[in-house]
Amino acid sequence: MTSSIAEKIANIRQELPAGVRLIAVTKGVSVDAMGEAYAAGVRDFGESQIQEAAVKQARLLDLPDINWHLIGHLQSNKVKKALEIFQWIHSCDSLSLAQRLNRVASELSLKPQVCLQVKILPDPNKYGWTIPELLADLPGLDRCDMLQIRGLMTILPLGLSEAESLTVFERTRTLSLQIQEQNCSNLKMQELSMGMSGDYHLAVRAGATMVRVGHVIFGDRSP
Ligand SMILES: *Cc1c(COP(=O)(O)O)cnc(C)c1O
């Protein structure tokens, strides 16, 4: 017998330490399934695409207390739309994007919560700052004062062993500590958005505060 969405969510919650936020990743997932997750207590939903999220949001207006998290790459021409529909942007991946978010947030009188996406290992298929690039951009990020910069986000490259995965998550945490020591008053750095269906156990061991879990809740996505 297959377990329900509510049972799967309950199982995951049991494994998460208190204070770790479960973000249900719902790209490719129906609004009905999202409604089941909501009924099971989920209030944080992660989407990769603006358009898909906008359509779902319009259909879920009767569920007003959802936090919407953008977890996919954001093109600069979609910044305004993204700010209108997401409270959290996990995928801020360059200084120029941060500056644009800052400018448009100011125009809209919004103060979005933002994570900085980092690449701990080289990965040509992923967006994000390398460690030296991020350290060099900290002063510029610190001036983006409409953004509530809350922490780091990372996605593992494919094909790592458990030990290698844990190392990447731990390196992300030490990078966050290193940034906290720079006395950049706008960089709060309490959050670590890391861990997906296959690796959230490891991410939590390394100090994740937000895990982004899709297919172990909702099953395999339709293509
Ligand atoms: C799709 C996605 C997830 C969730 O992946 P699952 O393996 O289905 O848990 C998490 N984070 C990001 C950035 C994603 O694109």
Side-chain angles (χ1 to χ4, degrees), residues 5 29-39 56 59-60 63 218:
I5 286 173
V29 170
S30 70
V31 287
D32 291 344
M34 291 175 74
E36 284 181 53
Y38 183 94
K56 288 174 173 172
R59 293 189 53 195
L60 293 171
L63 310 179
F218 298 106

Side-chain angles (χ1 to χ4, degrees), residues 17-21 152 166 168-174 176-177 189-195 199-211:
V20 175
R21 194 193 294 227
L152 301 180
L166 191 59
V168 168
F169 291 141
E170 284 172 343
R171 186 71 192 85
T172 309
R173 196 171 89 86
T174 52
S176 170
L177 296 172
M189 295 296 146
Q190 323 90 325
E191 303 286 350
L192 288 170
S193 168
M194 54 190 199
D199 51 39
Y200 69 87
H201 300 94
L202 296 170
V204 163
R205 253 161 68 190
T209 62
M210 296 189 279
V211 294

